[in-house]
Amino acid sequence: ARLIDLVIAVIFGLALLIPVITDVINNFDALGPSPSDAQVERVVTDAFSDNIILLLALGVIGGLSDFIWVGLFGGTPGKLILGLRVARSDNGAHPPGWSKAGLRGVNRLVSFVPIVGSLIVLLVGLASLIMLFSDGQHRTVMDRISSTVVIKK
């Protein structure tokens, strides 16, 4: 499911970044065959500053996508395609609600914290892999924190 979500995110992200990529390519072409380091730096800096709203929006959308999908539909696109749903572990209701979806998504937001966030996400991911195969309900760390479980539809 995560691989399907990644492929969808890459396609979506690239489609939205086409104007930025086109802008950079056109500006590099205008520099000629041997641009200086300062010219290259200016082209890249200009591309980012001209498109900062789009780039920030992509970051926010990426960070909140799991929260929105789980909150609205009970699963990410990958889970839904595979016939899986996120449900409350106490009563099986799905979608599990916004608070449960938010708790499941905390890991994504932590990943934005430089260095420490990446380390936490790595440790949570490793612990989740161990729990996934050692827990009868195949619950991960974020499932336990949010009191959710992934079920087959």
Side-chain angles (χ1 to χ4, degrees), residues 106-108 110-112 116-126:
V106 166
N107 200 29
R108 295 259 188 236
V110 168
S111 69
F112 287 110
V116 175
S118 298
L119 182 59
I120 291 170
V121 169
L122 177 65
L123 292 174
V124 168
L126 290 174

Side-chain angles (χ1 to χ4, degrees), residues 2-139:
R2 189 58 72 192
L3 182 60
I4 294 169
D5 292 337
L6 179 63
V7 169
I8 292 169
V10 167
I11 292 169
F12 180 72
L14 285 175
L16 290 177
L17 286 174
I18 287 174
V20 177
I21 295 166
T22 303
D23 189 33
V24 170
I25 291 170
N26 290 339
N27 288 336
F28 273 128
D29 286 345
L31 293 178
S34 300
S36 69
D37 289 344
Q39 289 173 314
V40 170
E41 183 179 331
R42 191 194 57 186
V43 166
V44 172
T45 303
D46 288 350
F48 277 101
S49 62
D50 291 348
N51 297 288
I52 191 72
I53 301 298
L54 174 62
L55 296 171
L56 288 173
L58 281 173
V60 170
I61 291 168
L64 295 176
S65 65
D66 281 6
F67 166 70
I68 294 167
W69 278 92
V70 171
L72 284 177
F73 306 109
T76 62
K79 282 183 177 57
L80 299 175
I81 289 169
L82 294 175
L84 303 172
R85 301 289 183 269
V86 177
R88 293 173 59 107
S89 61
D90 57 355
N91 63 13
H94 63 82
W98 291 108
S99 63
K100 303 287 185 191
L103 286 172
R104 282 179 63 89
V106 166
N107 200 29
R108 295 259 188 236
L109 296 177
V110 168
S111 69
F112 287 110
V113 177
I115 301 170
V116 175
S118 298
L119 182 59
I120 291 170
V121 169
L122 177 65
L123 292 174
V124 168
L126 290 174
S128 290
L129 276 175
I130 293 167
M131 293 172 91
L132 192 65
F133 295 107
S134 63
D135 178 80
Q137 290 184 308
H138 306 290
R139 295 174 66 200

